[in-house]
Amino acid sequence: MRTGALPVPIARRRRRRPGAVLAAALAAVLAAVGVVGSVTAASAADTLLSLNRPALASSVQGVDLAASNAFDGDPGSRWGSVWADPQWVRVDLGGSASVSRVVLRWEGAFARSFQVQTSDDGTTWTSIYSTTSGVGGVQTLDVSGTGRYVRMYGTVRSSGYGYSLYEFEVYGTLGGGGPTPTPTPTPTPGACGTTNAAQGRPATASSAESAGMAASAAVDGNTGTRWSSQFADPQWLRVDLGQTRTICQVVLAWEGAYGRAFQIQTSNDGNTWTSIYSTTTGAGGTQTLNVTGSGRYVRMYGTARGTGYGYSLWEFRVFTTGGGGDPVEPTDPRNPNFGPNTFVFDPSTPTSTIQSRLDTIFTGQETNQFGPQRYAVLFKPGNYTADVNLGFFTQVAGLGFSPDDVNLNGHVRVEADWFGGNATQNFWRAAENLSVTLPSNVQVERWAVSQAAPYRRMHLRGSQNQIQLWNGGDGWSSGGLMADTKIDGLVVSGSQQQWFSRNSEFGAWTGSVWNMVFTGVTGAPPPHFPNPSHTVINQTPVVREKPFLYVDGTGEYRVFVPGLRTNSQGTSWYGKTPVGTSISLSQFFIVRPGTAAATVNAALAQGKNLLFTPGVHRVDQTIQINRADTVVLGLGLATLQPQGGVVPMKVADVGGVKVAGIMFEADQVNSPMLMEVGPPGSSADNSANPISLHDVFFRIGGPGIGRATTTLTINSDDVIGDHLWLWRADHGAGVGWTVNTADTGLIVNGDDVTMYGLFVEHYQKYQTIWNGNRGRTYFYQNEMPYDPPNQAAWMNGSSRGYAAYKVADTVDTHQAWGLGSYCVFTSDASIVADRAFEVPNRPGVRFTNMVTVSLGGVGTINRIINDTGPTANSTTPTVYLTNYP
């Protein structure tokens, strides 16, 4: 049975406004006979400067009416504004230019009064044309001016609609005294390149069998996803290369449903097509076609199917001559393209539409802990009624500046019904930047989670209410995070085994099992370890909250980067204005699955920040973060997977880099590490502006074989870790002692590194190695590897096993609070770990409140720290130590 995946919303059809068709037709007739506004001959030296240049507008009426449409050379696409005055649309020519002519090709909704303006900086504008009697149609305006930016600034509309332009053409010559722009690369003859120019580019198709088989699946670099058409002829799939390229080879990786007769065609405008290959005897499989042609668009045009199904391609690859990487797309901050797996709602969206989408996602994700699907559901400021039940790899977030800007009347919850009430595998999901008002007569919210499931920057309203951190009496849960969160009522931990709370405000807290740690929390329980096992630090010494996406009062998407806080308590936002910096989304490059890593690095080299959209991003070269203060933000637990053993991300030794909401997943070819922060030997003083990692997770094995020698290495000083989970998989596919191999989770070589909420599990040697001085950890959770086949296979010299947390003998100062390490040796219960924590005996090395557990009595941890502390085994499975030394 041929099935699709999760459906996506069907775009509402836009009805043409009354008179729009007639106006467009009339404009075309007038243009054909030469009757257009202010037509004069232009200089032969004029060059069209605006085609495919970055564009921005004051507003857009809808997602299909973006500013870029007015500069794409396509007479069938248009920019359309909201229905208000004034409005503008502008183009960035890339450098200063002498502008001699402007052509405005209006849709039916034109400007009665407007100006054409130029600017050198995009802020100060000079008018080079003005009218109060615009007539629409096609207006060709002879002008004289200079500037890098050119805009149409409309002050009076001709109708009750907005302003709408099919095309806005700017002619002139570059080099008007400013910087020379980077020209659009021109293909040059040469050997056929080896970079797939189609990967990650926008793709469209005549049809799709289902939403899970969209056109984009054929250009995402993933041979496990595919485009599939409806069961009819003809059908086509096309890709936009972003610019005219010389095409030398096309590779079609067919699924079983292939094309018997088809053509490969190219086009410069997406309308007129030239065939560069044709066959009536296609045999399917993988077809490598050497071709000669050029164009911005390339398509497979199928006329006869090879089966009774449609046309189906795992991958559609295009190779070009002359080199030149993919262009870095500009981001429209009012109409960003977050890809097909991000859903943005506003208060006008019908409640039934929102709930249907949430329910559909949850149905697909409730048990899908190892699938590639990723989703983000975002709510613009306002009030909603919704029951948000979060499954795997789903993020729900508000787009307000404060959590209270978005209120959900209903629930934002996690249950463990799929696992019989056991929440110990409820990983990889997130709730952020929302307030929740429970339904009337309901007083319980449930957040039954374990690792990698942050409840961050949230507000659960109602002092009479409570949030339960387990499934409410019929199961267990094992580790989670609350940060920058306000709970008006009671937090009930129940059977939750360990939990970390930071900079939050609780009405009250009740419950403990093994290890509950609070830093900077008002309403925390009194410190009392081990019974109950509450470790309480009143103030958080130094922290930066996670950056977040929001929409400002003008409708522009921005990212807020919170400032550094020292000796803090409570949230950053409730009853106060957060300190930090706001960055327009125009300063971000949006990375969608399939985008080449070379393009990502090109964007970084241009000074862009990065926003990764939901999905699995396959990385064939290291993404290198070199600029200070760069922000890397992921939506929907966006996942980076290395190809061919590369290190997927490295951060230079520069201050202020923030990496947030990203997951790294090892591939079957071993990577030496999955992330490196600072090169070896880093020594920059970043104390005033630390590098910070927020909700950064790592996985080795689970969906299949994964291998990495080390997971995360931190060489820089002054790094802040804000909720990290490093996991060598203990279940799923590709799991075994000799299968998903990984020596060490975390190695810290930098000084003055601080970790809040550190989870490291199942590695085959030391879980964590700390070589830097003056390190601090607030909450540590660990499970030793489940799967050593016997004691001989797990020896560290003469020591039995490896400690969970190793502080190097050269370290003078190190502190840690609230640490737990557990064992369950499933292959051989006689295996012994000599100790959980191994540290030098120095006055500056101090560990506070530790617990070790033999889970089910299967295996032994002989001592808690060095040679101190009782034994955890089948006789006494849980043991504690309050201080060392």
Side-chain angles (χ1 to χ4, degrees), residues 78-263:
R78 64 185 175 94
W79 163 69
S81 78
V82 297
W83 302 352
D85 292 311
Q87 300 292 333
W88 52 263
V89 60
R90 84 176 196 191
V91 62
D92 177 0
L93 303 180
S96 186
S98 295
V99 180
S100 57
R101 181 170 51 133
V102 169
V103 179
L104 302 171
R105 302 183 186 276
W106 294 101
E107 195 244 7
F110 62 92
R112 181 74 65 195
S113 296
F114 68 92
Q115 299 175 54
V116 176
Q117 300 174 324
T118 61
S119 173
D120 291 325
D121 58 5
T123 302
T124 302
W125 295 91
T126 300
S127 178
I128 60 173
Y129 175 85
S130 181
T131 185
T132 58
S133 54
V135 294
V138 179
Q139 293 183 267
T140 302
L141 311 173
D142 283 341
V143 295
S144 178
T146 61
R148 172 173 175 165
Y149 303 90
V150 182
R151 77 175 178 180
M152 185 289 298
Y153 186 81
T155 53
V156 179
R157 292 164 288 144
S158 62
S159 67
Y161 300 108
Y163 299 83
S164 185
L165 282 164
Y166 285 115
E167 286 295 303
F168 179 7
E169 300 165 6
V170 179
Y171 294 83
T173 56
L174 291 167
T180 302
T182 302
T184 300
T186 301
T188 58
C192 198
T194 58
T195 298
N196 178 10
Q199 185 169 321
R201 300 300 307 166
T204 54
S206 53
S207 67
E209 182 186 346
S210 72
M213 300 179 185
S216 58
V219 295
D220 63 0
N222 181 1
T223 56
T225 61
R226 62 186 173 95
W227 163 69
S228 185
S229 77
Q230 294 177 350
F231 304 169
D233 292 309
Q235 301 290 336
W236 52 263
L237 170 78
R238 87 173 193 186
V239 61
D240 177 359
L241 303 181
Q243 61 192 34
T244 298
R245 309 287 287 271
T246 299
I247 298 152
C248 52
Q249 189 179 84
V250 172
V251 178
L252 303 170
W254 294 101
E255 194 245 4
Y258 63 95
R260 178 77 66 191
F262 66 89
Q263 298 176 52

Side-chain angles (χ1 to χ4, degrees), residues 760-841:
V760 187
E761 296 191 296
H762 308 304
Y763 289 86
Q764 295 174 292
K765 294 183 178 179
Y766 286 120
Q767 312 287 304
T768 296
I769 300 173
W770 208 297
N771 296 316
N773 257 307
R774 297 179 300 281
R776 294 176 293 189
T777 295
Y778 298 85
F779 181 91
Y780 182 76
Q781 190 268 326
N782 162 261
E783 285 184 354
M784 294 178 174
Y786 285 0
D787 54 346
N790 50 55
Q791 188 73 68
W794 196 51
M795 293 290 292
N796 180 16
S798 60
S799 295
R800 293 174 293 182
Y802 290 81
Y805 192 111
K806 164 70 174 176
V807 179
D809 295 341
T810 56
V811 171
D812 294 319
T813 304
H814 188 95
Q815 290 181 280
W817 294 262
L819 305 98
S821 180
Y822 321 129
C823 76
V824 51
F825 298 123
T826 55
S827 298
D828 183 351
S830 69
I831 293 174
V832 176
D834 275 340
R835 60 191 60 86
F837 308 104
E838 187 174 304
V839 305
N841 288 309

Side-chain angles (χ1 to χ4, degrees), residues 346-390:
D346 63 47
S348 68
T349 309
T351 297
S352 59
T353 300
I354 296 173
Q355 194 61 54
S356 176
R357 171 59 54 200
L358 292 168
D359 293 345
T360 301
I361 293 174
F362 177 72
T363 298
Q365 296 301 102
E366 183 180 13
T367 65
N368 191 22
Q369 63 176 308
F370 296 121
Q373 294 77 16
R374 308 283 188 273
Y375 299 99
V377 181
L378 310 177
F379 291 87
K380 290 185 176 181
N383 288 289
Y384 303 83
T385 298
D387 180 8
V388 183
N389 193 359
L390 285 176

